[in-house]
């Protein structure tokens, strides 16, 4: 699989490509508002004036999020959904999993996946869906960058000896945890602001 995150590999190709240190910078997406879904059944004042969510707002949420939901496809076509911690770095979501876990098995068969984060309030928040192709990261320099990104995003949860995920960096370096990079091909933002709904699509 090519290392370029903007390439479009075969849907069923294994997710085992390196992310290279000299990868091109992530491109900025085309942003559009889908007015069909950008209102409620009883829109609140201001709903007629909604605009698309800027991509920098989505990136900020991706850097601050603590829980993501990883969606992968089993070899028999059934979906597998599980919560993960993940870090937004260099234009992509990075997450890790053990080699024997279902996510890793699924990605070896079909590298297409989605990462979802947001909230569960009906009247506030922004949900983000990242759709893309998982690429295995095993270049030592890139792995160090990912470990640093995890530590910046989760702080004491990883860096403190008492942290829930302390030791994760060492597991990544040793290969006990596999790291995957998912650069968005398409992303969606579902915003809710006191009954004013927005549906934004970002195309990369």
């Amino acid at each position: 699989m090519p290392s370029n995150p903007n390439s479009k590999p075969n849907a069923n190709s294994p997710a085992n490509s390196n992310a290279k240190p000299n990868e091109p910078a992530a491109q900025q997406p085309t942003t559009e508002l889908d007015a069909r879904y950008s209102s409620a059944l009883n829109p609140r004042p201001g709903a007629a004036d909604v605009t698309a969510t800027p991509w920098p707002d989505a990136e900020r949420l991706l850097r601050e999020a603590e829980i993501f939901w990883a969606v992968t496809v089993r070899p028999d076509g059934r979906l597998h959904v599980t919560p993960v911690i993940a870090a937004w770095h260099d234009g992509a979501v990075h997450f890790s999993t053990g080699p024997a876990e279902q996510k890793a098995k699924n990605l070896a068969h079909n590298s297409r996946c989605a990462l979802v984060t947001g909230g569960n309030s009906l009247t506030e928040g922004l949900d983000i869906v990242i759709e893309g192709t998982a690429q295995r990261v095993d270049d030592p320099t890139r792995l160090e960058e990912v470990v640093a990104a995890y530590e910046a995003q989760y702080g004491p949860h990883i860096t403190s000896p008492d942290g829930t995920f302390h030791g994760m960096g060492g597991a990544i370096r040793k290969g006990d945890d596999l790291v995957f990079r998912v650069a968005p091909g398409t992303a969606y933002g579902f915003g809710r602001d006191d009954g004013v709904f927005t549906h934004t699509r970002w195309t990369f």
Side-chain angles (χ1 to χ4, degrees), residues 9-158:
N10 184 284
N12 294 321
S13 59
N16 60 1
S17 292
N18 276 342
K20 302 298 183 184
N22 60 351
E23 279 183 315
Q27 67 186 67
Q28 291 301 302
T30 300
T31 301
E32 57 184 323
L33 178 75
D34 192 331
R36 295 174 301 168
Y37 307 113
S38 293
S39 65
L41 292 177
N42 297 292
R44 302 298 190 270
D49 301 320
V50 297
T51 58
T53 302
W55 177 244
D57 290 356
E59 282 192 298
R60 183 170 59 252
L61 186 149
L62 291 167
R63 291 190 185 97
E64 296 172 352
E66 294 186 334
I67 293 294
F68 292 75
W69 292 86
V71 184
T72 57
V73 183
R74 298 174 188 265
D76 64 5
R78 291 180 298 133
L79 295 179
H80 178 262
V81 184
T82 185
V84 297
I85 65 172
W88 177 257
H89 171 65
D90 193 26
V93 181
H94 295 75
F95 70 98
S96 64
T97 184
E101 292 189 33
Q102 189 63 49
K103 294 186 293 299
K105 295 177 182 178
N106 294 347
L107 292 172
H109 172 77
N110 186 334
S111 56
R112 286 185 177 172
C113 63
L115 277 298
V116 183
T117 191
N120 59 5
S121 170
L122 185 60
T123 58
E124 61 182 5
L126 175 65
D127 301 327
I128 303 293
V129 178
I130 299 291
E131 295 181 349
T133 301
Q135 294 180 311
R136 170 81 183 282
V137 180
D138 56 17
D139 177 83
T141 300
R142 297 292 287 184
L143 288 176
E144 287 299 328
E145 293 180 7
V146 174
V147 170
Y150 266 118
E151 292 176 347
Q153 189 146 338
Y154 291 94
H157 294 294
I158 290 179

